[in-house]
Amino acid sequence: MQDPIFGWIEAERRRQEEGLELIASENYASPAVLAALGSVLNNKYAEGLPGRRYYGGCEYVDEVERLAQERLKTLFGAEWVNVQPHSGAQANEAVLLALLKPGEKLLSFALAHGGHLTHGSPLNSSGKLYTVEHYGVRPDTYRLDYDEIREKARTFRPKVLLAGASSYPRDWDWAALRSIADEVGAFLVTDIAHPAGLIAADLLNDPLPHCHIVTSTTHKTLRGPRGGVIMMGKDFDNPFGELTPKGQPKKMSALLDSALFPGVQGGPHMHTIAAKAVAFGEALQPAFRTYARQVIHNAQTLAHTLMELGYTVLTGGTDNHIVLIDLRNKGLTGRDAEKGLEKAGITVNKNLIPYDPNPPLVASGIRLGTPALTTRGMTESDMRQVAHWIDQALTHLSDDAFLSRLREEIREYLKAYPLPYATVASLSLGHLSAPAE
Ligand code: DSN
């Protein structure tokens, strides 16, 4: 008898293949990325950095990590990187730990307007340890207002100005943010977890020349393994008076390295670092730029078709991979829409809209994203079809028979866009079988 866990993995593989994946933070990593994740590098402890480890036997994982670093530097034009964060949350935690003492001030994008839990939510260590204020979007345009951010920064005087979002469909003006940070003497940090792949492909404004420090995840538009990174366009002497044993100012990179390990994490996950290196290598190929451009075209087509169908698309469109829908004119909540769409095999997440009258678990909107469907090879004509399916599902939310027929239609359609993943049945799992009775 095979371990039932592999049955669940196979069921999940089928779910991913047979449904429309529109969660903006998800993607399909390549088989090469998954192969690195499932490799023997999982078995290795390697605390420290390449050439400076606390364990023996690191000669090969050193090469892996060096290659991951070099590829990431090339991809983003960064002078310094750390590829060890287990996730974006740890990357952000380490950066704040390096820059702020408990009680010091952080100004960031409000979670309820599209920010992130790790940007100062009271539920997260960032909100518990630091004094936090937020900026948001304008109620009339749902866009950032850089004059308002400047005013807030002048009054609040943060030590860190944090930019970046998990549901904001527009690009950021990094130069404007840097001028605000400089005016109030703050560090400008941004978290590009969502648009990283689009930035790597040079399709959105580049934060590296403007921000002191940039964090990201590697599994969203960047299409790699689940994980995080920290980068700097240019390293600089730390302004906190921390000295090296030789009496020189420590570089900011040294503070960030030690904030991550041992400040936040233990041993790095070398299998994930290998998978990051594979994904960075893929993102350096010309085909990735074509992919990233299609992600944006697909999101714009989805947004426009939904607007033609009478949906309220916040900000009137998108610059990136995200489409935010306010469902109030349709008399629906995000929660009900998410549930009904799931019955039709369309996976989205309910999402607060800025100034939402509903609580987070109900929410008035849904967030859609095109990275995963674009990886399957879908283009604009498919997006028009997807928009019509979403509309059909949302207009038949209480008709289970209709939703199951739609699910079947979608499943058939998706056979033309197969995923390149091996089924569990095709893997050799003999050694995991239970002994014969
Ligand atoms: N949970 C991620 C998202 O969906 O955007 C952010 O961490």
Side-chain angles (χ1 to χ4, degrees):
M1 189 193 73
Q2 188 176 286
D3 186 330
I5 202 72
F6 292 98
W8 295 119
I9 293 174
E10 176 58 14
E12 171 60 14
R13 189 198 63 76
R14 268 205 311 274
R15 187 196 70 78
Q16 291 186 14
E17 187 159 63
E18 293 177 357
L20 281 175
E21 184 50 73
L22 282 159
I23 292 181
S25 46
E26 295 189 11
N27 210 332
Y28 299 108
S30 72
V33 166
L34 296 190
L37 278 177
S39 72
V40 294
L41 269 63
N42 173 71
N43 304 338
K44 189 73 197 96
Y45 255 121
E47 273 104 327
L49 289 161
R52 290 185 282 140
R53 307 282 192 186
Y54 292 83
Y55 287 81
C58 287
E59 62 267 43
Y60 303 120
V61 292
D62 274 2
E63 293 308 319
V64 166
E65 186 162 349
R66 284 195 187 102
L67 196 49
Q69 291 171 339
E70 287 315 310
R71 287 180 178 174
L72 183 63
K73 285 181 191 170
T74 309
L75 195 55
F76 284 94
E79 183 177 284
W80 172 88
V81 300
N82 186 311
V83 296
Q84 295 190 352
H86 298 331
S87 202
Q90 282 70 42
N92 290 341
E93 190 182 355
V95 170
L96 296 180
L97 189 67
L99 296 178
L100 296 173
K101 292 194 185 61
E104 289 188 330
K105 293 183 195 169
L106 167 68
L107 178 61
S108 66
F109 190 32
L111 178 62
H113 287 204
H116 194 256
L117 278 167
T118 59
H119 299 183
S121 158
L123 301 172
N124 181 259
S125 63
S126 54
K128 294 181 196 295
L129 288 175
Y130 311 117
T131 306
V132 183
E133 274 276 340
H134 295 299
Y135 54 88
V137 294
R138 289 175 60 99
D140 50 346
T141 60
Y142 294 108
R143 292 183 190 232
L144 290 165
D145 176 341
Y146 293 90
D147 292 334
E148 187 226 308
I149 300 173
R150 189 180 294 277
E151 278 314 307
K152 279 229 155 118
R154 280 179 180 158
T155 319
F156 183 58
R157 312 299 296 185
K159 189 167 176 194
V160 171
L161 173 58
L162 180 54
S166 59
S167 57
Y168 184 62
R170 295 296 173 179
D171 204 355
W172 291 69
D173 184 343
W174 307 115
L177 288 168
R178 179 59 186 255
S179 99
I180 297 168
D182 285 347
E183 183 185 328
V184 301
F187 294 102
L188 178 60
V189 178
T190 187
D191 173 352
I192 58 166
H194 264 269
L198 312 179
I199 292 168
D202 298 326
L203 300 172
L204 295 175
N205 296 331
D206 183 0
L208 272 288
H210 302 286
C211 297
H212 293 94
I213 302 169
V214 176
T215 64
S216 183
T217 58
T218 50
H219 49 279
K220 298 182 176 100
T221 48
L222 208 44
R223 209 166 55 180
R226 304 195 76 80
V229 293
I230 309 174
M231 305 184 271
M232 282 190 286
K234 275 233 166 297
D235 200 357
F236 52 96
D237 288 347
N238 86 86
F240 310 120
E242 292 221 25
L243 300 178
T244 64
K246 289 186 180 154
Q248 300 298 316
K250 274 192 188 169
K251 289 289 191 193
M252 198 62 221
S253 52
L255 264 57
L256 289 168
D257 281 337
S258 61
L260 185 69
F261 168 78
V264 169
Q265 293 187 172
H269 295 178
M270 297 315 301
H271 56 312
T272 308
I273 291 172
K276 287 174 184 172
V278 172
F280 302 153
E282 290 173 354
L284 284 165
Q285 304 303 313
F288 187 82
R289 198 186 158 94
T290 309
Y291 160 73
R293 199 179 296 117
Q294 191 65 50
V295 166
I296 297 176
H297 289 163
N298 282 353
Q300 291 173 340
T301 304
L302 192 58
H304 288 127
T305 314
L306 284 165
M307 284 192 285
E308 281 164 15
L309 292 166
Y311 289 86
T312 306
V313 172
L314 292 191
T315 77
T318 180
D319 295 330
N320 55 34
H321 59 300
I322 289 175
V323 180
L324 279 177
I325 314 282
D326 176 352
L327 291 166
R328 287 176 300 173
N329 68 328
K330 298 283 181 183
L332 298 172
T333 65
R335 180 184 57 191
D336 292 345
E338 178 190 297
K339 273 199 204 136
L341 288 167
E342 189 164 9
K343 287 185 189 165
I346 304 171
T347 315
V348 308
N349 63 280
K350 61 181 156 305
N351 213 86
L352 285 178
I353 57 164
Y355 308 99
D356 203 319
N358 279 313
L361 286 176
V362 179
S364 299
I366 49 174
R367 183 185 66 165
L368 312 175
T370 52
L373 294 187
T374 309
T375 293
R376 294 186 81 149
M378 291 193 173
T379 60
E380 288 87 341
S381 57
D382 300 298
M383 292 305 114
R384 284 188 275 276
Q385 176 63 70
V386 168
H388 280 96
W389 278 327
I390 290 172
D391 179 48
Q392 286 169 15
L394 292 179
T395 45
H396 292 82
L397 277 189
S398 46
D399 185 344
D400 279 359
F402 180 89
L403 295 174
S404 357
R405 280 199 303 279
L406 192 53
R407 185 187 192 101
E408 193 47 39
E409 184 183 333
I410 289 170
R411 201 166 72 87
E412 278 304 310
Y413 187 95
L414 286 173
K415 285 184 179 160
Y417 301 93
L419 297 181
Y421 298 149
T423 61
V424 168
S426 72
L427 301 175
S428 171
L429 297 168
H431 62 293
L432 294 169
S433 301
E437 306 245 325

